[in-house]
Amino acid sequence: MTYQEKKSIVSLISSILIFTVYGLYKYPAYPNEVMDSTVTFHYWGSFVLVLTLVSIAAHIVISIIFNIVFRMTTGEKEPSFADELDKRIDLLAFRNSFAMFIIGFLLAMGALVIDQPLKVMFIVLIVSGFLSDVTGSISRLYHYRRGV
């Protein structure tokens, strides 16, 4: 397996773990009693903001650890450049990831149109962000394995 394939697998696994652990940690704190919209907005706003910050920090740490372990196990340095294939694969993965998020965004707005609670809209947005990240990693892995 190439460096890029291994990095895509690590990114996929870390995205799943980060989202699952954070979701299991934070979701039980959801206030179940009847509440006004400011409490709902505060809870979901903090959920999204903290998830974003935790995810970015965790991905940085995991990337550093991956590069250290990769260098120790293979004795090779990570590639310092991206050729045309790498750039094309990144663009394809970004396109697929973006399309997944836009579909989720439209579904979240559709949930508001059909008078679903705000909770549904936020859950759809959060899940679409997660699926967008997973789709990008899977696309990248697929294209490195199968070609463009």
Side-chain angles (χ1 to χ4, degrees):
M1 250 193 274
T2 65
Y3 172 81
Q4 289 86 358
E5 290 171 331
K6 290 177 185 176
K7 188 172 182 179
S8 295
I9 291 170
V10 168
S11 176
L12 176 64
I13 292 170
S14 65
S15 294
I16 292 170
L17 284 175
I18 292 166
F19 183 78
T20 303
V21 169
Y22 184 76
L24 290 174
Y25 168 74
K26 188 72 175 171
Y27 188 72
Y30 183 74
N32 286 327
E33 68 273 356
V34 176
M35 60 195 146
D36 61 356
S37 62
T38 58
V39 174
T40 302
F41 285 132
H42 175 65
Y43 173 80
W44 287 110
S46 67
F47 188 99
V48 171
L49 183 64
V50 174
L51 175 61
T52 302
L53 296 175
V54 165
S55 181
I56 289 170
H59 277 293
I60 290 170
V61 169
I62 290 169
S63 179
I64 291 169
I65 292 170
F66 170 74
N67 285 330
I68 290 170
V69 170
F70 180 78
R71 182 177 274 182
M72 288 174 52
T73 57
T74 63
E76 300 174 12
K77 292 174 77 173
E78 61 277 356
S80 59
F81 66 92
D83 60 5
E84 292 299 317
L85 178 66
D86 294 332
K87 291 177 184 176
R88 179 153 171 88
I89 288 173
D90 282 343
L91 285 173
L92 289 171
F94 180 75
R95 179 198 64 185
N96 295 340
S97 177
F98 186 71
M100 180 61 71
F101 183 76
I102 292 301
I103 290 168
F105 178 80
L106 293 175
L107 288 174
M109 295 304 110
L112 290 178
V113 168
I114 60 172
D115 294 326
Q116 292 296 315
L118 286 174
K119 174 182 176 180
V120 174
M121 186 226 20
F122 279 107
I123 290 173
V124 170
L125 276 177
I126 291 166
V127 168
S128 71
F130 166 69
L131 290 177
S132 167
D133 194 14
V134 169
T135 300
S137 295
I138 290 174
S139 283
R140 194 170 288 111
L141 180 62
Y142 173 80
H143 287 298
Y144 273 116
R145 286 290 206 160
R146 303 283 183 201
V148 178

